[in-house]
């Protein structure tokens, strides 16, 4: 199964995160399938590749809790078909 989750980058005490599509069995810093966004919690800045995110969500990828909150703020779920907004 594929998940959309955060991958930590940056330096000590100054973390930034990439939003990646990654296999569930991979560790946090493991090889990702595709980078689909960027999140900087210090500046509260996000960049999302919405077509890529929608592609993975339509294929059945599950976002983690934090990624789901980021996507809700960006209103990505409004672009999905109504029957595909339920996640486990």
């Amino acid at each position: 199964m594929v998940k959309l989750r955060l991958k930590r980058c940056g330096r000590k005490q100054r973390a930034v995160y990439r939003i990646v599509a990654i296999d569930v069995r991979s560790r946090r810093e493991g090889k990702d399938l595709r980078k689909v966004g960027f999140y900087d919690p210090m500046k509260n800045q996000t960049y999302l590749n919405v077509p890529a995110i929608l592609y993975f969500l339509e294929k059945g990828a599950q976002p983690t809790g934090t990624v789901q909150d980021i996507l809700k703020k960006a209103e990505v779920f409004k672009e999905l078909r109504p029957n595909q907004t339920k996640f486990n």
Side-chain angles (χ1 to χ4, degrees):
M1 182 190 337
V2 176
K3 279 206 177 240
L4 296 176
R5 66 183 187 203
L6 297 175
K7 187 174 185 178
R8 193 176 197 273
C9 303
R11 58 181 200 245
K12 280 195 278 185
Q13 304 295 319
R14 183 71 182 95
V16 293
Y17 298 91
R18 286 188 181 138
I19 301 170
V20 296
I22 194 167
D23 188 22
V24 169
R25 296 166 289 183
S26 297
R27 54 195 191 123
R28 182 185 72 184
E29 303 303 326
K31 183 157 174 58
D32 51 65
L33 300 173
R34 187 164 178 194
K35 295 171 185 69
V36 295
F38 175 83
Y39 173 59
D40 186 352
M42 297 289 204
K43 296 179 183 176
N44 201 15
Q45 189 176 31
T46 58
Y47 164 76
L48 301 172
N49 183 351
V50 177
I53 291 170
L54 292 176
Y55 170 78
F56 280 107
L57 290 174
E58 287 172 356
K59 295 292 182 184
Q62 298 289 312
T64 60
T66 307
V67 172
Q68 191 167 356
D69 292 342
I70 292 169
L71 297 179
K72 277 183 187 174
K73 270 189 203 173
E75 300 179 349
V76 171
F77 294 122
K78 289 184 178 181
E79 298 180 30
L80 268 178
R81 285 184 247 136
N83 62 347
Q84 292 184 335
T85 56
K86 294 178 182 157
F87 299 109
N88 293 337

